[in-house]
Amino acid sequence: GEDGATHQCCEDIALMRTIPGMVILNPCDHYEMQAAVRAAVEHKGPCYIRLGRLAVESINNNDDYKFELGKGITLREGTDITVVATGLMVQEAVKAADALKEEGISVEVINIHTIKPLDEELVVAAAKETGRVVTVEEHSVIGGLGSAVCDVLSEKAPTRVMKIGINDTFGESGPALELLKKYGLDTDSIYAVSYTHLTLPT
């Protein structure tokens, strides 16, 4: 069926981040989902696992895939700009990076499957390397992945960050892919924001 507004939750990560000791997992495909569930079972403490409804292609079907709580995964190496994505948006971020590569732009793509605790070391290192960061999430731009990244970078490596997400509005019912496009969460939108970001002063 269509994606109904009454079943959408664009504020859950923000709410869960405020709970002391809560681990927040947002896997990007079914391989990562299986690993996240195993990790949650083994973890001593509360975990919140966010699962998207939309079917996506597998990102992590390689033999050397390793899941570790609190550790992000660099899917693409890059020197011009860093795109930090989570959940369903990881696939779109990879596609946007590949399209930008054809334009001669080197894009680093980081998959953040654990939003809390955030892999601060990886995020800071990436920001220092490229000097420009874009975050992408199927969530409000308030309090989610983008906010977590900005919290870390403002303290440890001040960097210009552009956040892609739901911009302080409620969702609506409709076909999932069309909704992603409307709210700027598709490959073309990530491409456009990233390209624009490169034209701004650091």
Side-chain angles (χ1 to χ4, degrees), residues 88-109:
L88 298 179
M89 295 297 97
V90 173
Q91 176 179 258
E92 301 300 319
V94 169
K95 291 179 180 178
D98 290 344
L100 287 163
K101 184 178 180 180
E102 295 180 3
E103 300 292 330
I105 299 171
S106 178
V107 183
E108 179 177 28
V109 179

Side-chain angles (χ1 to χ4, degrees), residues 16 22 39 53-54 72 79 83 86 93 95 102 142 144 183 194 196:
M16 287 295 167
M22 181 64 69
R53 179 180 180 187
L54 189 65
T79 56
V83 177
T86 187
K95 291 179 180 178
E102 295 180 3
I142 302 170
Y183 290 106
S194 301
T196 299

